[in-house]
Amino acid sequence: MAGQRTAPPTVYDVASAAGVSIATVSRVLRTPDAVREGTRDRVQAAIRTLGYVPSGNARALAGKRTGVVGLLLPGFDVVPDERPDLVTDGGVRVVDDRRHVTQPFSSNLYFDEVLRGAEVEAWQRGLALMVAAGRGPSRDVIVNDVAGRVDGLAVLAQTVPDELLEHVARRIPVVVLADDRRSHGFDSVSVDNAAGMRTVVSHVVGRLGIRSIAYVAGPIDSPDDMERAAGFRAALVEHGVDPADVPVVHGDFGRARARELATSLFEGAVPRAVVCSNDQSALGTLDAAAALGIRVPEDVVVTGFDGIDAGRFSQPRLTTVHQPMGELGRAAVRAIVERLARPDGPPRAVRLPVEVLLRESCPPVLDA
């Protein structure tokens, strides 16, 4: 009868049309690169011809797996829009935005790179990636909800209490990003924060000979910031500078707050160098210097940490410690997959290398 719906094709129909087993069809859907090209082409042709759409629920019931991995990132508070309206024409606001040089969510750039890496790795392994963000009262509900829908979960360190992660880890693999959490029983992926910061500060103090220095730190409970601060202090001691003599201000890893902190620093005796715990803080410091007519690097050198793209386009371009943010995301997905394949054994930690990129804000040498 015209317009009558027929039963949707199944994995068995695809296997029959392609002349392969249903296990081979599953491999083509999940890990196509692991299947010979000729076989893969036949299966994919059958899928297109039949109009087959895999059922996630059916796959989960058959293999006790969902084919989905989770990535939990911290939520961000909405920044109030305090910009005054000039006029409204046809419902469209016209705003004087000359004094606003940052976007409200610019601090997300680090997470954008981590997310992109996780997406790529999941896709290449035939997995889907579920991304969630949240904090505050809704955090526990979100974590438990995501954990019930995925085969493994990657979480940024310090964003979820250990007891909640331990509860989740009884059901699925948990990987912690940006901290070595083996002592808590979790697999982890992090970068060599201390070595990176020690190296860039050694350049500032040892090679450039700068002694007047200030440090814009991040949140006091950030594992990344703790390691970077340790590297900062180690370099100072190595080059004969007493860390107690160095002013330290704590920001929130955000550009706007760092601009406020740097402005306060510059209102006194301008230090010859400002070392920042992340790139967003360094960009905020550059903003403050520009607003006050302080030249970089002639009057003050500025360094960051992360290697986000915005630092390549700042004025001047930002010297930074580049960490492989995309590889962090990829390594987290790999760690989940490896733990699913081998659930027993001690927790493992992956430590990724960093590199110092010298640019105009803190060059290899200072002009005489």
Side-chain angles (χ1 to χ4, degrees):
M1 183 180 297
Q4 183 176 1
R5 293 184 179 180
T6 60
T10 68
V11 66
Y12 298 97
D13 297 324
V14 174
S16 176
V20 299
S21 67
I22 59 171
T24 298
V25 175
S26 179
R27 284 197 296 274
V28 170
L29 292 170
R30 291 180 178 271
T31 54
D33 292 341
V35 182
R36 286 182 307 207
E37 183 178 2
T39 302
R40 183 175 67 240
D41 290 345
R42 291 204 313 277
V43 172
Q44 290 174 338
I47 289 172
R48 290 192 297 270
T49 300
L50 295 172
Y52 171 68
V53 177
S55 168
N57 290 335
R59 288 203 306 271
L61 289 172
K64 302 187 184 301
R65 296 279 176 81
T66 64
V68 182
V69 293
L71 177 62
L72 186 68
L73 299 176
F76 295 92
D77 294 332
V78 175
V79 176
D81 188 353
E82 299 175 349
R83 299 173 298 183
D85 294 346
L86 295 185
V87 296
T88 300
D89 183 6
V92 178
R93 290 192 308 157
V94 178
V95 177
D96 183 352
D97 198 42
R98 289 172 295 177
R99 296 183 61 189
H100 291 77
V101 296
T102 61
Q103 294 296 325
F105 301 105
S106 60
S107 59
N108 293 25
L109 297 175
Y110 165 87
F111 301 112
D112 292 343
E113 296 295 327
V114 174
L115 172 58
R116 186 175 296 112
E119 286 178 325
V120 169
E121 188 68 27
W123 175 78
Q124 290 185 343
R125 292 177 177 271
L127 302 170
L129 181 70
M130 176 181 289
V131 182
R135 65 181 179 190
S138 65
R139 178 191 54 207
D140 291 16
V141 174
I142 292 172
V143 172
N144 278 307
D145 182 58
V146 173
R149 299 167 182 260
V150 299
D151 296 327
L153 184 64
V155 181
L156 187 73
Q158 298 299 107
T159 58
V160 177
D162 288 336
E163 58 270 21
L164 180 54
L165 287 183
E166 289 165 0
H167 170 72
V168 172
R170 287 197 290 267
R171 291 178 284 163
I172 59 174
V174 171
V175 175
V176 177
L177 289 164
D179 194 13
D180 185 343
R181 304 305 294 279
R182 284 175 294 178
S183 62
H184 291 77
F186 305 125
D187 293 328
S188 61
V189 181
S190 59
V191 304
D192 201 343
N193 288 293
M197 184 61 80
R198 187 173 63 250
T199 301
V200 74
V201 175
S202 291
H203 173 74
V204 172
V205 180
R207 184 173 180 83
L208 301 184
I210 293 174
R211 290 294 188 269
S212 172
I213 188 170
Y215 186 54
V216 179
I220 58 176
D221 62 346
S222 164
D224 276 343
D225 186 69
M226 293 175 190
E227 292 184 0
R228 293 170 193 176
F232 177 81
R233 291 190 297 269
L236 294 180
V237 171
E238 180 181 347
H239 294 282
V241 177
D242 187 350
D245 295 335
V246 174
V248 176
V249 293
H250 280 275
D252 58 6
F253 280 154
R255 185 169 182 169
R257 178 57 179 156
R259 185 168 60 248
E260 295 172 356
L261 293 171
T263 298
S264 296
L265 280 174
F266 293 152
E267 286 174 350
V270 177
R272 187 65 186 87
V274 178
V275 174
C276 301
S277 189
N278 76 328
D279 282 354
Q280 289 290 346
S281 297
L283 293 173
T285 300
L286 292 180
D287 294 339
L292 295 172
I294 298 170
R295 300 171 302 164
V296 179
E298 292 85 357
D299 301 324
V300 59
V301 302
V302 178
T303 70
F305 198 118
D306 280 339
I308 61 175
D309 278 347
R312 296 193 296 119
F313 302 106
S314 61
Q315 293 295 327
R317 296 194 314 147
L318 180 64
T319 286
T320 187
V321 181
H322 176 266
Q323 63 167 313
M325 294 167 285
E327 183 58 23
L328 272 171
R330 300 194 67 158
V333 173
R334 287 196 299 268
I336 291 173
V337 172
E338 290 168 5
R339 182 57 68 184
L340 287 168
R342 293 181 292 276
D344 298 326
R348 296 182 292 268
V350 175
R351 177 77 75 167
L352 301 175
V354 298
E355 61 181 349
V356 174
L357 304 178
L358 297 177
R359 299 183 181 133
E360 286 79 2
S361 76
C362 180
V365 296
L366 292 174
D367 293 335

Coordinates of all heavy atoms in Angstrom, one line a residue, residues 107-142:
S107 N 37.8 32.6 28.7 CA 38.5 31.7 29.5 C 38.3 30.2 29.0 O 38.9 29.3 29.5 CB 38.2 31.9 31.0 OG 36.9 31.7 31.2
N108 N 37.3 30.0 28.2 CA 37.0 28.7 27.7 C 38.0 28.2 26.7 O 37.9 27.0 26.3 CB 35.6 28.6 27.1 CG 34.5 28.8 28.1 OD1 34.7 29.5 29.2 ND2 33.3 28.3 27.9
L109 N 38.9 29.0 26.2 CA 39.7 28.6 25.0 C 40.5 27.4 25.3 O 40.7 26.6 24.4 CB 40.6 29.8 24.6 CG 39.8 31.0 24.1 CD1 40.8 32.2 23.9 CD2 39.0 30.7 22.9
Y110 N 41.0 27.2 26.5 CA 41.8 26.0 26.9 C 40.9 24.8 26.7 O 41.3 23.8 26.2 CB 42.2 26.2 28.3 CG 42.7 24.9 29.0 CD1 44.0 24.5 28.9 CD2 41.8 24.1 29.8 CE1 44.5 23.3 29.5 CE2 42.3 23.0 30.4 CZ 43.6 22.6 30.2 OH 44.0 21.4 30.8
F111 N 39.6 24.9 27.2 CA 38.7 23.7 27.1 C 38.3 23.5 25.7 O 38.0 22.3 25.4 CB 37.5 24.0 28.0 CG 37.9 24.2 29.5 CD1 37.7 25.4 30.1 CD2 38.4 23.1 30.2 CE1 38.1 25.6 31.4 CE2 38.8 23.3 31.5 CZ 38.6 24.6 32.1
D112 N 38.2 24.5 24.9 CA 37.9 24.3 23.5 C 38.9 23.3 22.8 O 38.5 22.4 22.1 CB 37.9 25.6 22.7 CG 36.8 26.5 23.1 OD1 35.8 26.0 23.7 OD2 36.9 27.7 22.8
E113 N 40.2 23.5 23.1 CA 41.2 22.7 22.6 C 41.2 21.3 23.1 O 41.3 20.3 22.4 CB 42.6 23.3 22.8 CG 42.8 24.6 22.2 CD 42.8 24.5 20.6 OE1 43.3 23.5 20.1 OE2 42.4 25.5 20.0
V114 N 41.0 21.1 24.4 CA 40.8 19.8 25.0 C 39.7 19.1 24.4 O 39.7 17.9 24.0 CB 40.7 19.9 26.5 CG1 40.4 18.5 27.2 CG2 41.9 20.5 27.2
L115 N 38.5 19.8 24.3 CA 37.3 19.2 23.7 C 37.6 18.7 22.3 O 37.2 17.6 21.9 CB 36.2 20.2 23.7 CG 34.9 19.8 23.0 CD1 34.4 18.5 23.5 CD2 33.9 20.9 23.2
R116 N 38.2 19.5 21.5 CA 38.5 19.2 20.1 C 39.3 17.9 20.0 O 39.1 17.0 19.2 CB 39.2 20.3 19.4 CG 39.4 20.1 17.9 CD 40.0 21.3 17.2 NE 39.1 22.5 17.3 CZ 39.3 23.6 18.0 NH1 40.5 23.7 18.7 NH2 38.5 24.6 18.0
G117 N 40.4 17.8 20.8 CA 41.2 16.6 20.8 C 40.4 15.4 21.2 O 40.5 14.3 20.6
A118 N 39.5 15.5 22.2 CA 38.7 14.3 22.6 C 37.8 13.9 21.5 O 37.5 12.7 21.3 CB 38.0 14.7 23.9
E119 N 37.2 14.9 20.8 CA 36.3 14.6 19.7 C 37.0 13.8 18.6 O 36.5 12.8 18.1 CB 35.7 15.9 19.1 CG 34.7 16.6 20.0 CD 34.2 17.9 19.4 OE1 35.0 18.6 18.8 OE2 33.0 18.2 19.6
V120 N 38.2 14.3 18.3 CA 38.9 13.6 17.2 C 39.3 12.2 17.6 O 39.1 11.2 16.8 CB 40.2 14.4 16.9 CG1 41.1 13.6 15.9 CG2 39.9 15.7 16.2
E121 N 39.8 12.0 18.8 CA 40.1 10.6 19.2 C 38.9 9.7 19.3 O 39.0 8.5 18.8 CB 40.9 10.7 20.5 CG 41.5 9.4 21.0 CD 42.6 8.9 20.1 OE1 43.3 9.8 19.5 OE2 42.9 7.7 20.0
A122 N 37.8 10.2 19.8 CA 36.6 9.4 19.9 C 36.1 9.0 18.5 O 35.8 7.8 18.2 CB 35.5 10.1 20.7
W123 N 36.1 10.0 17.6 CA 35.6 9.7 16.2 C 36.5 8.6 15.5 O 36.0 7.7 14.9 CB 35.7 11.0 15.4 CG 35.3 10.8 14.0 CD1 34.1 10.6 13.4 CD2 36.2 10.7 12.9 NE1 34.1 10.4 12.1 CE2 35.5 10.5 11.7 CE3 37.6 10.8 12.8 CZ2 36.0 10.4 10.5 CZ3 38.2 10.7 11.5 CH2 37.4 10.5 10.4
Q124 N 37.8 8.7 15.7 CA 38.7 7.8 15.1 C 38.6 6.4 15.6 O 38.9 5.4 15.0 CB 40.2 8.3 15.2 CG 40.5 9.5 14.3 CD 41.9 9.9 14.4 OE1 42.7 9.4 15.3 NE2 42.4 10.7 13.4
R125 N 38.1 6.3 16.8 CA 37.8 5.0 17.4 C 36.4 4.5 17.3 O 36.0 3.5 17.9 CB 38.3 5.0 18.9 CG 39.8 5.2 19.1 CD 40.1 5.3 20.6 NE 41.6 5.5 20.7 CZ 42.4 4.4 20.9 NH1 41.9 3.2 20.9 NH2 43.7 4.6 21.0
G126 N 35.6 5.2 16.5 CA 34.2 4.8 16.3 C 33.3 5.0 17.5 O 32.3 4.3 17.7
L127 N 33.7 6.0 18.4 CA 32.9 6.3 19.6 C 32.3 7.6 19.4 O 32.7 8.5 18.7 CB 33.8 6.3 20.8 CG 34.6 5.0 21.1 CD1 35.7 5.2 22.2 CD2 33.7 3.9 21.5
A128 N 31.2 7.8 20.2 CA 30.6 9.1 20.3 C 31.1 9.8 21.6 O 31.5 9.1 22.6 CB 29.1 9.0 20.3
L129 N 31.1 11.1 21.6 CA 31.5 11.9 22.8 C 30.4 12.7 23.3 O 29.8 13.5 22.6 CB 32.7 12.8 22.4 CG 33.3 13.7 23.6 CD1 34.0 12.8 24.5 CD2 34.2 14.8 23.0
M130 N 30.1 12.4 24.6 CA 29.1 13.2 25.3 C 29.8 14.3 26.2 O 30.6 13.9 27.0 CB 28.2 12.3 26.2 CG 27.2 13.1 27.0 SD 26.1 12.0 28.0 CE 25.1 11.3 26.8
V131 N 29.4 15.5 26.0 CA 30.1 16.6 26.7 C 29.0 17.2 27.6 O 27.9 17.5 27.2 CB 30.6 17.7 25.8 CG1 31.3 18.8 26.6 CG2 31.6 17.0 24.8
A132 N 29.4 17.4 28.9 CA 28.5 18.1 29.9 C 29.3 19.1 30.6 O 30.5 19.0 30.8 CB 27.9 17.0 30.8
A133 N 28.6 20.1 31.1 CA 29.2 21.2 31.9 C 28.3 21.6 33.0 O 27.1 21.6 32.8 CB 29.6 22.4 31.1
G134 N 28.9 21.8 34.2 CA 28.0 22.2 35.3 C 28.8 22.2 36.6 O 29.8 21.6 36.8
R135 N 28.3 23.1 37.5 CA 28.9 23.1 38.8 C 27.8 23.6 39.8 O 26.7 23.9 39.4 CB 30.1 24.1 38.9 CG 29.8 25.5 38.6 CD 31.1 26.3 38.6 NE 30.8 27.7 38.3 CZ 31.8 28.6 38.1 NH1 33.1 28.2 38.1 NH2 31.5 29.8 37.8
G136 N 28.2 23.7 41.0 CA 27.2 24.2 42.0 C 26.2 23.1 42.4 O 26.5 21.9 42.3
P137 N 25.0 23.4 42.8 CA 24.0 22.4 43.3 C 23.7 21.3 42.3 O 23.3 20.2 42.6 CB 22.8 23.2 43.6 CG 23.3 24.6 43.8 CD 24.5 24.8 42.9
S138 N 23.8 21.6 41.0 CA 23.4 20.7 39.9 C 24.5 19.7 39.6 O 24.3 18.8 38.8 CB 23.0 21.4 38.7 OG 24.0 22.1 38.1
R139 N 25.7 19.9 40.1 CA 26.9 19.2 39.7 C 26.7 17.7 39.9 O 26.9 16.9 39.0 CB 28.1 19.7 40.4 CG 29.4 18.9 40.1 CD 30.5 19.3 41.0 NE 30.1 19.1 42.4 CZ 30.6 19.7 43.4 NH1 31.5 20.7 43.3 NH2 30.1 19.5 44.7
D140 N 26.3 17.3 41.1 CA 26.2 15.8 41.4 C 25.2 15.2 40.5 O 25.4 14.0 40.1 CB 25.8 15.6 42.9 CG 26.9 16.1 43.8 OD1 27.9 16.8 43.4 OD2 26.9 15.7 45.0
V141 N 24.1 15.8 40.3 CA 23.0 15.3 39.4 C 23.6 15.1 38.0 O 23.4 14.0 37.3 CB 21.8 16.2 39.4 CG1 20.8 15.7 38.3 CG2 21.2 16.2 40.8
I142 N 24.3 16.1 37.5 CA 24.9 16.0 36.1 C 25.9 14.9 36.0 O 25.9 14.1 35.1 CB 25.5 17.4 35.7 CG1 24.4 18.4 35.6 CG2 26.3 17.2 34.5 CD1 24.9 19.8 35.4

